[in-house]
Amino acid sequence: TSGRGRSRGTRSETRCSMPTVEVSRTLVKSPPELWSELQGDRLREAVGPEASITRSEDERLLAWECEDARGTACLEPSGWGTKVIFRAEVQEEVRELESEVARLGLWARLRGVKPPPPPLDPGPPRHERLERAFEQLLDELGFAHRKPFQGS
């Protein structure tokens, strides 16, 4: 086949990936105690201020959704405590840039035209940031907020 009629402009391909995150831990707290902490702003602080959160009637499941992710926080009684499970699906764009020669063109490269600087590093991917936020939230939930035998 000949290449006539086909244009080869510079472009980048964008694919979407849906990494999933699951973080769980059994905490020595009752489900109602953990529910009262999570249903407030604690979960929203972890997943993002724009997240909408839906509470279940039985006070065991919080579903959340924001622009690029959605997930759940689930409370399950477990032995001497409560198992807290955070799950998330994150939509992330993966850009595959063409080679420098293809972006600039051969003649521009030969004339010494410099390519534009690479985009600024946006930091770690969203799924990694969520995983760290869930771990931190579990650490905070695991600590006692009040000292025993002290009034509120």
Side-chain angles (χ1 to χ4, degrees):
T1 63
S2 74
R4 281 189 207 159
R6 294 183 188 168
S7 66
R8 287 194 57 114
T10 60
R11 65 183 176 101
S12 63
E13 290 185 26
T14 302
R15 291 183 293 128
C16 287
S17 67
M18 290 286 283
T20 57
V21 175
E22 183 171 314
V23 178
S24 66
R25 193 176 304 164
T26 300
L27 303 175
V28 185
K29 286 189 174 181
S30 68
E33 187 178 7
L34 288 166
W35 179 262
S36 68
E37 290 188 50
L38 280 175
Q39 75 170 345
D41 289 332
R42 301 294 297 273
L43 182 60
R44 185 170 277 114
E45 289 170 3
V47 299
E50 75 283 356
S52 65
I53 298 176
T54 307
R55 297 159 180 83
S56 68
E57 292 292 322
D58 63 355
E59 297 186 352
R60 291 193 182 209
L61 182 71
L62 292 165
W64 58 270
E65 189 169 347
C66 54
E67 185 177 318
D68 60 349
R70 67 176 177 260
T72 58
C74 183
L75 304 177
E76 296 176 357
S78 173
W80 291 96
T82 304
K83 186 172 185 176
V84 181
I85 306 165
F86 294 117
R87 291 185 182 97
E89 287 183 344
V90 182
Q91 182 176 356
E92 294 183 354
E93 287 187 0
V94 179
R95 297 181 79 66
E96 295 176 358
L97 298 177
E98 293 179 357
S99 71
E100 189 175 312
V101 172
R103 282 187 286 141
L104 290 177
L106 178 60
W107 296 114
R109 290 278 300 144
L110 291 175
R111 289 191 316 255
V113 174
K114 299 285 184 201
L120 297 176
D121 182 23
R126 172 87 160 121
H127 69 277
E128 289 178 13
R129 292 190 315 258
L130 268 175
E131 187 171 7
R132 274 185 271 158
F134 289 154
E135 290 284 351
Q136 181 179 352
L137 181 54
L138 285 172
D139 289 344
E140 292 170 4
L141 290 171
F143 289 117
H145 292 288
R146 287 183 265 161
K147 293 183 181 178
F149 310 111
Q150 199 175 35
S152 9

